[in-house]
Amino acid sequence: MTRMQFVQRVLFLTFGAALFSVGLEIFLVPNNIIDGGIVGISIITSALTGLPLGIFLLVLNLPFFYLGYKQIGKTFAISTLYAVVIMSAGTWLLHSVQPLTDDPLLASVFGGIILGVGVGMVIRFGGSLDGTEIVAILITKKSPFSVGEIVMFFNVFILASAGFVFGWDRAMYSLIAYFIAYKMIDVIIEGFDESKSVWIISEKHDDIGQAIIQRLGRGVTYLHGEGAFTGGEKRVIFCVITRLEEAKMKSIVEELDPGAFLAVGNIHDVKGGRFKKKDIH
């Protein structure tokens, strides 16, 4: 890692964790709305004991730093510890600041947005703000469930517990905030300009490939395949586009070969190669 990359990581980890603390103390916590995971448990425990939220955010996450260090790596563990310390300090500094709204719906929406942006930044630059994600990664290695499914399973119980502590209306507002934060995390990690992979199998592969290059401005790669049923040789067209180009891609394939096989999938990140769009003449 270069010095510039290190500085960039520290800055974004700091900003992301600070944003998260703003979402908690300026929007969610004053309105008795919680987030999922260790953060949600910390908010509930803080409300029941009267102790500062930052203490629980730090203490309850401590056991997971060791797991993260052993299972994921030293850099991840250090980045996570740094981000959680900043988050905990931020909640302590902001605890006496007046909330911007006492409307639970507004607090859920804007708190969820800010939380999601903060978490997304931290994850994108190699850290985490919640230990349940680390536990989910470990469990998924020995179970048929995905990380997302395991995290959701934990959070169903955590969000439901808010109903017993703060009331069922606050539990429902918490669900709204959690859903918004979850979507915002995806936006920050994947970016607004989401990329898509395209796989096309057609007898008119040359025509379709040239049309993609000339009319869409994207490079294509021809892969060699074999049909399992017929045993015949197939040419597979592979290319990467943005989501805004998906409709035009489909129209090109439909125009040249209505019977072609077309599969489109989401890609979280694209680097190297010749993904940069070519000029269309």
Side-chain angles (χ1 to χ4, degrees), residues 155-166:
N155 287 335
V156 165
F157 290 98
I158 295 170
L159 294 171
S161 64
F164 295 99
V165 179
F166 301 121

Side-chain angles (χ1 to χ4, degrees), residues 82-263:
Y82 175 76
V84 170
V85 168
I86 296 296
M87 174 183 65
S88 302
T91 58
W92 180 74
L93 292 172
L94 294 170
H95 186 66
S96 60
V97 177
Q98 291 295 314
L100 291 183
T101 179
D102 57 2
D103 185 315
L105 182 58
L106 288 177
S108 300
V109 173
F110 286 94
I113 291 172
I114 294 173
L115 252 64
V117 172
V119 173
M121 284 186 179
V122 171
I123 292 176
R124 187 162 187 171
F125 286 88
S128 175
L129 289 173
D130 199 299
T132 54
E133 296 170 359
I134 301 173
V135 174
I137 291 172
L138 301 181
I139 293 177
T140 194
K141 293 180 179 180
K142 298 182 179 180
S143 73
F145 302 105
S146 67
V147 172
E149 289 171 338
I150 295 170
V151 170
M152 182 63 72
F153 177 77
F154 286 145
N155 287 335
V156 165
F157 290 98
I158 295 170
L159 294 171
S161 64
F164 295 99
V165 179
F166 301 121
W168 293 107
D169 62 332
R170 301 296 156 160
M172 288 185 278
Y173 283 123
S174 298
L175 186 60
I176 293 173
Y178 174 76
F179 179 78
I180 293 173
Y182 180 81
K183 290 298 181 183
M184 286 304 301
I185 291 171
D186 284 344
V187 170
I188 297 301
I189 294 176
E190 298 176 6
F192 288 97
D193 191 20
E194 182 182 347
S195 299
K196 291 182 176 288
S197 60
V198 180
W199 305 78
I200 305 166
I201 302 176
S202 170
E203 297 297 330
K204 299 181 178 179
H205 44 78
D206 289 327
D207 294 338
I208 294 175
Q210 288 302 312
I212 293 172
I213 294 171
Q214 296 171 6
R215 294 163 57 182
L216 204 56
R218 292 293 181 188
V220 301
T221 299
Y222 292 116
L223 306 175
H224 294 281
E226 180 179 331
F229 183 73
T230 63
E233 186 175 329
K234 300 286 185 180
R235 293 286 295 278
V236 182
I237 302 171
F238 173 76
C239 68
V240 177
I241 61 174
T242 67
R243 60 182 176 183
L244 298 178
E245 296 167 335
E246 183 178 354
K248 187 171 183 179
M249 168 66 74
K250 290 179 178 178
S251 68
I252 290 173
V253 176
E254 178 69 22
E255 176 188 332
L256 296 176
D257 184 3
F261 173 83
L262 171 66

